[in-house]
Amino acid sequence: MHNDEYYLNRAVQLAANNVAQGGRPFGAVLVKNDQILVEAINSIHLTQDPTAHAELLAIRSASQQLGARLDGCVIYASGHPCPMCLSAMHLCGVSRVVYGASNEQGEPYGLSTAAIYQQMALPVGEQALPVIHLEQPAMADIYRDWQARHGAR
């Protein structure tokens, strides 16, 4: 049973509390088996860490409890997850994401990441940020060493 509205309302309340304390309007709740494991707020204003988004902080905290895989977990976010946070959710296996405010709603307040999503949709060579591949032959041996040590395919 999904209590999406309940958990999303909690993320929205975290966002409101964060704004009242000088932060950005973002909160996240990470749930597994219909139980809240982690609540987090965007803490960029406290740490000056541009990656301190509520969703990433929730993932980091949950990973300390559950390990690097968060299969079966749901993240409730007050706003549309940015590409960085959404990528992290894919990487750690989050099962579902539910969010409150869309990028369109955030746009008038400078709180939309739609432009970043547009950049990320372009081939790497066409993006505004130069991304340069300088082949490093030693990496083949390093990858083989890692595979041998960890049994990865």
Side-chain angles (χ1 to χ4, degrees):
M1 175 174 168
H2 299 300
N3 292 310
D4 289 345
E5 196 69 38
Y6 173 80
Y7 296 125
L8 187 56
N9 283 336
R10 181 63 190 140
V12 169
Q13 185 59 54
L14 290 167
N17 293 347
N18 202 34
V19 168
Q21 295 174 8
R24 297 169 64 97
F26 301 109
V29 175
L30 191 143
V31 173
K32 184 168 186 174
N33 298 327
D34 211 26
Q35 292 203 347
I36 294 174
L37 293 183
V38 176
E39 294 183 341
I41 57 167
N42 179 299
S43 65
I44 293 172
H45 67 295
L46 300 173
T47 64
Q48 298 308 304
D49 175 356
T51 69
H53 292 199
E55 300 93 329
L56 276 186
L57 296 176
I59 288 169
R60 290 173 187 157
S61 180
S63 295
Q64 293 298 307
Q65 297 174 46
L66 302 175
R69 295 295 305 170
L70 299 179
D71 301 298
C73 293
V74 180
I75 291 185
Y76 295 88
S78 59
H80 190 284
C82 75
M84 174 182 66
C85 292
L86 191 59
S87 294
M89 292 175 205
H90 281 284
L91 286 169
C92 70
V94 164
S95 297
R96 240 168 28 100
V97 181
V98 180
Y99 66 93
S102 68
N103 269 324
E104 292 78 19
Q105 287 174 288
E107 180 70 34
Y109 308 97
L111 297 171
S112 172
T113 56
I116 299 170
Y117 272 105
Q118 289 171 348
Q119 280 293 302
M120 299 299 288
L122 296 172
V124 173
E126 295 177 24
Q127 294 177 18
L129 175 66
V131 178
I132 300 159
H133 175 218
L134 267 180
E135 180 108 16
Q136 296 297 301
M139 286 306 299
D141 288 336
I142 293 168
Y143 281 165
R144 279 190 289 277
D145 183 30
W146 178 82
Q147 183 180 39
R149 293 171 188 263
H150 298 282
R153 303 186 235 162

